[in-house]
Structure formats: C-alpha cells, structure tokens
Amino acid sequence: GAVVSQHPSRVICKSGTSVKIECRSLDFQATTMFWYRQFPKKSLMLMATSNEGSKATYEQGVEKDKFLINHASLTLSTLTVTSAHPEDSSFYICSAANRKAWDTQYFGPGTRLTVL
Amino acid sequence: TQLLEQSPQFLSIQEGENLTVYCNSSSVFSSLQWYRQEPGEGPVLLVTVVTGGEVKKLKRLTFQFGDARKDSSLHITAAQPGDTGLYLCARGGGATNKLIFGTGTLLAVQP
C-alpha cells in the first residue's frame, strides 16, 4: 500500500504555544487528506477533511480557529494546534487518499501531542 | 456521532482461544472495512467487504458481512499474542467521502 508519514511522532509543548504536525504522502498524490483525533483506548474521531488547494471542511464541534489545517500541495497537509491547552493532548492521525473515495485512505503512524 | 457500535468493548483472552467481534448499525451500508491498530501506530486495513452475506478469510481471521448489510463480524481462531490490538470497523459516510469508525474493540491476548 501507499506510504503516509507524520512528523513529529511525539511532541511535548507548554500551554499557550502552537504546534504544527505534518502529514506527507510519500509515493502518491493525495487529493484529499483527513485528520483524526484519538483518545486512549478509544476509536478515531474525524476532525476535518482537506482537499488540495481549498479550505478544509471541519466536523461539527471542531474549532477551525483552534485547529488550523493547510493542504497546500498534493503531498503535504499540516495541522496546527494553536494556543494549546492540556485538554488538546491526544493522538492525532492523518490519512491520505488519491481520489475522493472513503475506502482508499492510507493512514499515517500518528503524532502523540502532550500539552503541559 | 458514532454510527457503528462494536461489541465487546474490551476482551482479554488466553492464547489459543477463539473470539468474535461484532459491528452493528441501524442503517444499511454499501461496504465495510475492518482495521487493526497497535498502540502508538495508525490503523492498518485488514479487509473490505462489499456484498451482503460475503465471507472473507485472512489466515486465522474470518470476516462476515450480514445479509442485510447492517452488521459485520470478525472471528479469530486460535488467537495469538500478536493479535493484540484495537479492532475497528469503518464505513463510508453516505454521500460524502468521509470514513466513519466504529466504537472499537480492544483485544488483549495473554500468552
């Protein structure tokens, strides 16, 4: 299958700072990327869908000013957690698809964010 | 909102035992996927089932899609410690391209 990477794999930051997480599709062009959030031992919750070159579509309850998503190229999407708080601590996972089909998503390895 | 309910939520068994995980929905869906996720990693696709009544086998794992396409099951025969992980079913979000995950089943296989 296709390879998707995330960077960093782990990050610890102080409250009030911003953190950027990168999601890269290494061997295919990702027209659509998805960002998920996962709490310990729980399922994945979709945060937003981003299509290359356009604004992200956020799920209900997700603050778009808090979680800034940029999908500037067909191989890179970024999630920036602004003014981070301890409750933002979580496991963030991205996935990428090279066509607008939900069943062709390739998942990244995730990023563990800890906000002190 | 989770539209897919999985049961059991947690399962701890001994190596060699068999188990079944269920994924249920109140609505019909065109196809369904099963994933396994290990701690600190992203989910890995195991199988996609598309036809009502379909059965697929992947070594010791057997996946079944209900006749009415409202439910699915995953059966593991002779579980091994390497089967430990979070098992997730997932379906497409109707007219959108979103993936909706089930509530998850956390499996621990003790040696």
Side-chain angles (χ1 to χ4, degrees), chain B residues 9-45:
Chain B
Q9 188 176 2
F10 300 102
L11 190 57
S12 180
I13 62 173
Q14 294 296 123
E15 182 176 1
E17 293 183 13
N18 302 331
L19 68 117
T20 302
V21 177
Y22 300 92
C23 175
N24 294 288
S25 172
S26 58
S27 57
V28 175
F29 37 90
S30 59
S31 59
L32 183 129
Q33 296 183 322
W34 283 94
Y35 291 82
R36 180 171 66 215
Q37 184 183 24
E38 298 189 20
E41 299 182 9
V44 175
L45 179 65

Side-chain angles (χ1 to χ4, degrees), chain B residues 97-109:
Chain B
N97 59 345
K98 299 187 291 187
L99 193 61
I100 297 172
F101 281 90
T103 49
T105 295
L106 189 60
L107 170 65
V109 182

Side-chain angles (χ1 to χ4, degrees), chain B residues 44-60:
Chain B
V44 175
L45 179 65
L46 296 174
V47 76
T48 300
V49 286
V50 297
T51 306
E54 180 178 7
V55 176
K56 282 191 174 180
K57 292 194 175 185
L58 184 64
K59 296 183 180 178
R60 293 176 294 101

Side-chain angles (χ1 to χ4, degrees), chain B residues 1-5 23-29 68-72 91:
Chain B
T1 303
Q2 294 285 4
L3 301 179
L4 293 176
E5 292 289 334
C23 175
N24 294 288
S25 172
S26 58
S27 57
V28 175
F29 37 90
R69 291 186 287 123
K70 289 185 177 182
D71 57 272
S72 181
R91 55 164 286 188

